């Protein structure tokens, strides 16, 4: 396991993530959602940048509100695996989920942090069991208990929800756990 963030660093980082997403949401709101033209649109070359930008944009205040708590909470929980693992898993989830949505998603605007939320969710569900650390297994069990209902979000239930981001995020999160988590002896 790589060097860990101190509790103060974890909270500081999470506060900055919260502030970034909140400022972007407010800016997007006051501009009439003009930033959403930067969203990921599958198979549109001009929209490839959306892979990196779209997780920071939301379609509505309710969309933002549904993502902000889980992205911050899951980010802190993923930090328990160490700095290097947090950065590797986060970059992998962002990039690979975005690429899969760009390649395979339906022709629509895909935006919001939910691809990252589901990526972190998939990671956290499985990484504890891979590590075999009692603390990390406890995190996996708690995430499953409190957030297990998220699994239904991978199904195409609404034309206005990017279930593709949810599905690919979840699967990529599991892959990230397999790639970046090592078995521990504790």
């Amino acid at each position: 396991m790589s060097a860990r963030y101190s509790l103060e660093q974890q909270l500081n980082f999470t506060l900055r993530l919260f502030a970034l997403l909140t400022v972007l949401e407010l800016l997007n709101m006051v501009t009439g959602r003009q930033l959403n033209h930067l969203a990921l649109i599958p198979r549109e070359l001009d929209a490839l940048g959306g892979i990196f930008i779209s997780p920071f944009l939301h379609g509505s205040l309710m969309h933002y509100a549904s993502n902000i708590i889980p992205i911050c909470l899951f980010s802190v929980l993923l930090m328990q695996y160490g700095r290097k693992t947090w950065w590797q898993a986060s970059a992998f989830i962002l990039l690979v989920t975005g690429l899969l949505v760009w390649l395979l998603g339906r022709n629509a605007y895909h935006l919001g942090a939910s691809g990252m939320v589901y990526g972190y969710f998939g990671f956290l569900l499985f990484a504890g069991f891979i590590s075999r650390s009692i603390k990390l297994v406890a995190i996996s069990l708690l995430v499953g208990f409190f957030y297990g209902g998220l699994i239904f979000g991978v199904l195409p239930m609404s034309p206005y929800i990017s279930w593709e981001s949810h599905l690919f995020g979840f699967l990529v999160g599991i892959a990230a756990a397999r790639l970046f988590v090592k078995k521990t002896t504790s």
Side-chain angles (χ1 to χ4, degrees), residues 85-103:
T85 302
W86 186 91
W87 283 105
Q88 288 174 325
S90 295
F92 185 77
I93 291 166
L94 179 84
L95 180 62
V96 177
T97 299
L99 281 171
L100 287 170
V101 172
W102 189 83
L103 287 169

Side-chain angles (χ1 to χ4, degrees), residues 56 77 113 121 136 146 156 176 184:
F56 300 98
L77 293 174
F121 174 62
L136 301 176
F146 287 106
T184 63

